[in-house]
Amino acid sequence: MAALSLICKQCNTSLKSVKEAQEHGEVTGHSQFEESTEPVLNLQCTACHKPCRTQTEKDLHTKRTGHKEFQNKTDEATAIHTEAEMQQASDAMREALKGDSAASAALTDMDVDAAQEMVSPAVNVELRQQLEDMGFSANKSTRALHFCGQESLEAAVAWLSDHADDTSLDEPLLVPKMESKKKLTPEEAAQQAEELRKRIKAKIQKEEAELERLREKERIRSGKELLEAKRKEDDLKLKRNLELRRIEKEEEARARVKIRVKLDEDRRARRRKLGLPEELTEEEKAQEAAAAAQKAEAAKKKNSFVSVKPVSVAEKIRAKLVKLKKDHPDDSTGVTVCFQTIQKYLANVYRDPSQEKFRNIRVGNPAFQQRVGAFKGSLDILELCGFKRSADGQTLSMSQEDAQPDILTTAGNELNSALNNPFFGML
């Protein structure tokens, strides 16, 4: 039966080819290998096609990658041809050293020495003698003990039974004589293992750092996209509101024109019925103008305490809040307390503007200085809301006429946004 693998006799490691045996020998210093009819375990990952030779290697691969499905291809192992593979390795080395006459000559001498150093394998003398006593020839006994691993007499007899039809059993078995490489001391082996662990740990740390960098990059990108989406949404909302306001104004203007035309027609019809000229006389026009002026004056007095929220005031308050927040980046707690205190002052005035104590603030008060006055620009915000500074600068006061609900509401909304919106002032 053809050999399917090689076994290191010093550590019982199964190897798939001569190349792997050479690499194993370079790492461990082992030099005693023999052919085996047992195939090497081959569990191939169905996700990334990585082959795993042992169950431990399979478990480690699953732990690191999360891949759990493997295909057992152990039965697909093909026979290996030791001599042919050794010849291929020799040819590859000779091709690599082409042009270097000294190295090529040394390689040729090594090939000659290897060819000459073919010896009979060392086997258990007692077991071979027992096989010979059973009637097997010395060559058969040596071959059987060599290929069955010299496990026992029964294993050798079973091997001979399985290979009874092999015509080469009686031929002398010769194997290359391999010089043992220097074995690693326990300290050297431990040092190499420690270096390997360090390299693996460094690789894992590098991969984790790269993954964390990618996560942070994705987080920043998502944050920017969120801010940009919010800005676009606010812009669209503002445009829609402006467009609706424009349409409302146009409709209102058209309605006024229609009403004026209708009133004018009604007036003309009434004057015709009374036998009067359709057009007003100069005296009647003067009387109507005086009545309109008197009506406008009454409406002005009635609305003297009602203010229209100017967009400029809201923008100025927001700009002051943003600047105050940016001027104190290291004292976010103090800025929050400052905004809350100003909001409290404005809320008191809004609820009861008739209370004079709510409309007067002593700037020199230690509590006010600690909470509000210590932050540059805070007094400007109060002045935009209607407070006025006294001549000596020690008092902020607001008249009842200046306590305009629209301005106070606007300021309260801006302060609430500054306190609760984490992106306030970032756009």
Side-chain angles (χ1 to χ4, degrees), residues 271 277-287:
R271 291 180 70 84
E278 293 185 359
E279 298 295 334
L280 295 175
T281 63
E282 293 297 329
E283 183 179 356
E284 290 174 333
K285 289 182 179 178
Q287 290 177 355

Side-chain angles (χ1 to χ4, degrees), residues 21 33 87 125 128 138 193 201 207 232 245 274 287 356 395 416 419 423:
F33 302 91
Q87 183 61 39
V125 179
R128 184 176 62 182
K201 183 178 180 181
E207 292 176 352
K232 290 181 178 179
R245 182 60 180 162
L274 295 173
Q287 290 177 355
E356 186 177 357
T395 306
N416 188 59
L419 289 168
F423 304 109

Side-chain angles (χ1 to χ4, degrees), residues 362-371:
R362 287 192 300 111
V363 178
N365 186 292
F368 177 84
Q369 284 294 326
Q370 181 181 1
R371 291 170 174 265

Side-chain angles (χ1 to χ4, degrees), residues 117-312:
E117 289 294 329
M118 299 294 288
V119 297
S120 177
V123 296
N124 190 305
V125 179
E126 295 181 0
L127 293 178
R128 184 176 62 182
Q129 185 60 48
Q130 292 180 24
L131 287 172
E132 290 178 0
D133 294 341
M134 294 174 64
F136 296 105
S137 65
N139 290 336
K140 287 183 178 181
S141 301
T142 300
R143 190 178 291 269
L145 290 172
H146 176 71
F147 287 115
C148 75
Q150 306 186 47
E151 296 178 354
S152 64
L153 184 64
E154 291 77 8
V157 173
W159 188 92
L160 286 170
S161 177
D162 293 338
H163 298 79
D165 298 332
D166 193 344
T167 57
S168 63
L169 286 180
D170 283 328
E171 296 178 3
L173 177 63
L174 297 177
V175 296
K177 181 180 180 181
M178 301 179 66
E179 296 182 0
S180 299
K181 291 188 178 182
K182 180 183 178 181
K183 295 183 180 180
L184 297 176
T185 63
E187 292 78 9
E188 292 174 339
Q191 182 180 0
Q192 289 188 3
E194 181 64 24
E195 291 177 356
L196 181 60
R197 282 194 293 270
K198 289 181 179 179
R199 288 198 297 269
I200 293 175
K201 183 178 180 181
K203 182 179 179 181
I204 293 175
Q205 290 177 347
K206 183 178 179 181
E207 292 176 352
E208 290 177 349
E210 178 66 15
L211 186 60
E212 182 62 26
R213 186 186 68 81
L214 293 176
R215 287 201 194 100
E216 181 65 15
K217 185 177 180 181
E218 179 63 20
R219 187 188 66 79
I220 294 173
R221 185 192 64 79
S222 300
K224 289 182 178 179
E225 288 183 354
L226 180 63
L227 291 174
E228 182 65 17
K230 187 177 184 304
R231 185 188 66 78
K232 290 181 178 179
E233 183 181 358
D234 292 342
D235 291 345
L236 289 175
K237 186 177 179 180
L238 178 61
K239 290 179 180 178
R240 285 195 296 268
N241 292 337
L242 292 175
E243 182 64 16
L244 289 174
R245 182 60 180 162
R246 184 186 65 79
I247 294 173
E248 289 175 357
K249 287 182 178 180
E250 290 179 355
E251 291 179 349
E252 185 178 352
R254 287 194 294 269
R256 287 197 182 102
V257 170
K258 289 181 180 180
I259 292 172
R260 282 196 297 268
V261 171
K262 181 64 176 174
L263 291 175
D264 189 56
E265 291 177 354
D266 292 343
R267 179 179 58 78
R268 289 173 182 274
R270 287 195 305 271
R271 291 180 70 84
R272 282 195 299 269
K273 287 181 181 180
L274 295 173
L276 299 174
E278 293 185 359
E279 298 295 334
L280 295 175
T281 63
E282 293 297 329
E283 183 179 356
E284 290 174 333
K285 289 182 179 178
Q287 290 177 355
E288 284 194 359
Q294 187 177 2
K295 185 178 180 181
E297 184 65 23
K300 183 178 180 181
K301 290 181 178 180
K302 182 179 179 181
N303 298 327
S304 60
F305 296 109
V306 179
S307 63
V308 178
K309 181 181 71 173
V311 177
S312 60

Side-chain angles (χ1 to χ4, degrees), residues 83-100:
E83 295 181 1
E85 291 189 11
M86 291 181 66
Q87 183 61 39
Q88 289 177 1
S90 178
D91 293 341
M93 187 178 296
R94 185 176 289 103
E95 182 68 21
L97 295 175
K98 186 178 293 184
D100 190 340

Side-chain angles (χ1 to χ4, degrees), residues 3-5 16 37-42 73-80:
L4 298 176
S5 64
K16 294 174 63 176
T37 58
E38 294 294 329
V40 179
L41 183 65
N42 183 12
K73 293 189 176 183
T74 305
D75 295 337
E76 299 179 10
T78 57
I80 63 173

